[in-house]
Amino acid sequence: MLGRLNHVAIAVPDLAAASAVYRDALGATLGEPQALPEHGVTVLFIDTGNTKIELLEPLGEGSPIAAFLEKNPAGGMHHICYEVDDIIAARDRLKASGARVLGDGNPRIGAHGKPVLFLHPKDFFGTLVELEQV
Amino acid sequence: MLGRLNHVAIAVPDLAAASAVYRDALGATLGEPQALPEHGVTVLFIDTGNTKIELLEPLGEGSPIAAFLEKNPAGGMHHICYEVDDIIAARDRLKASGARVLGDGNPRIGAHGKPVLFLHPKDFFGTLVELEQV
């Protein structure tokens, strides 16, 4: 069931500053920042060839990463996203195993326009897991 | 300079329990656990096709992930490893940009038998970054 690692999301307090460090210190090739007000974040992708880093900055009130940045003001790794072929089958297998799906348990359309689910970090040893149907 | 994402390392307090969840709930294909006493960890790789997840459990006294697990007893994403072609050139560029290399600043042989460096998480927005020469 577990497919490719689609991206690792890193929450940062200042996207311009963080992306400049990735570009200048690490030599990363940056995408363009994209404001996604309906998701409460501005995102910027770094393509590593085999997968992506998603830098996330809060946008607007009630951003889903605001609480994380309150706990981790410097930023940090926020979640990891795996691809699945069939998100409903994946959800049902996860629920049968006892894992908790966040929200109402139904996929919603994520920041990339595809159906996504988030799984409770307490069920995955402190890691917030996103599943994306590709 | 920044190459492929080689792996994401997730520290867990109990490797057997964590790997069982990855296998049973997420359908991941697990590698074999490898005890690396000289690195103070037992590791288990999950191949996602495009990259790897490295589950890490402390091994012995003074494990390099012990402090992380004291702060995050349930576990969590510990570091992210990028590949570079030339680790000395990468280090020199990083130092010129003001980033701090952990330890004595020289590459050491990492858990995969290749030269590695770790970069200070304060210089990368709360993310511990490993570079591995491939």
Side-chain angles (χ1 to χ4, degrees), chain A residues 79-98:
Chain A
H79 68 264
I80 188 163
C81 176
Y82 300 105
E83 299 177 357
V84 294
D85 286 332
D86 181 337
I87 203 161
I88 299 298
R91 177 196 65 185
D92 292 347
R93 174 178 177 147
L94 283 155
K95 285 171 78 172
S97 80

Side-chain angles (χ1 to χ4, degrees), chain A residues 1-2 4-5 8 10 18 23-27 48 50-51 53 74-77 79-80 82 93-94 97 124-126, chain B residues 1-5 8 18 21 23-27 48 50-51 53 74-77 79-80 82 93-94 97 125-126:
Chain A
M1 168 179 124
L2 193 74
R4 289 160 51 94
L5 192 164
V8 178
I10 297 177
R23 181 191 64 213
D24 298 338
L26 284 171
T48 67
N50 57 336
T51 186
I53 301 298
M77 286 190 275
H79 68 264
I80 188 163
Y82 300 105
R93 174 178 177 147
L94 283 155
S97 80
F124 293 93
F125 303 89
Chain B
M1 168 179 125
L2 193 73
R4 289 160 51 95
L5 193 163
V8 178
V21 165
R23 181 191 63 212
D24 299 337
L26 284 171
T48 67
N50 57 335
T51 185
I53 302 298
M77 286 189 277
H79 69 264
I80 189 163
Y82 300 106
R93 175 179 177 145
L94 283 154
S97 80
F125 303 90

Side-chain angles (χ1 to χ4, degrees), chain A residues 2 5 7-11 54 56 64-68 71-72 76-82 100-103 108 116-132, chain B residues 8 10-11 22 26 53 68 74-78:
Chain A
L2 193 74
L5 192 164
H7 63 268
V8 178
I10 297 177
E54 180 184 58
L56 294 174
I65 62 170
F68 178 88
K71 271 200 218 166
N72 306 276
M77 286 190 275
H78 181 264
H79 68 264
I80 188 163
C81 176
Y82 300 105
R100 286 163 287 179
V101 175
L102 298 185
R108 59 182 188 78
V116 301
L117 284 174
F118 283 88
L119 309 177
H120 201 302
K122 288 199 177 161
D123 296 330
F124 293 93
F125 303 89
T127 301
L128 177 59
V129 174
E130 180 180 15
L131 298 180
E132 180 172 298
Chain B
V8 178
I10 298 177
Y22 275 81
L26 284 171
I53 302 298
F68 179 87
M77 286 189 277
H78 181 263

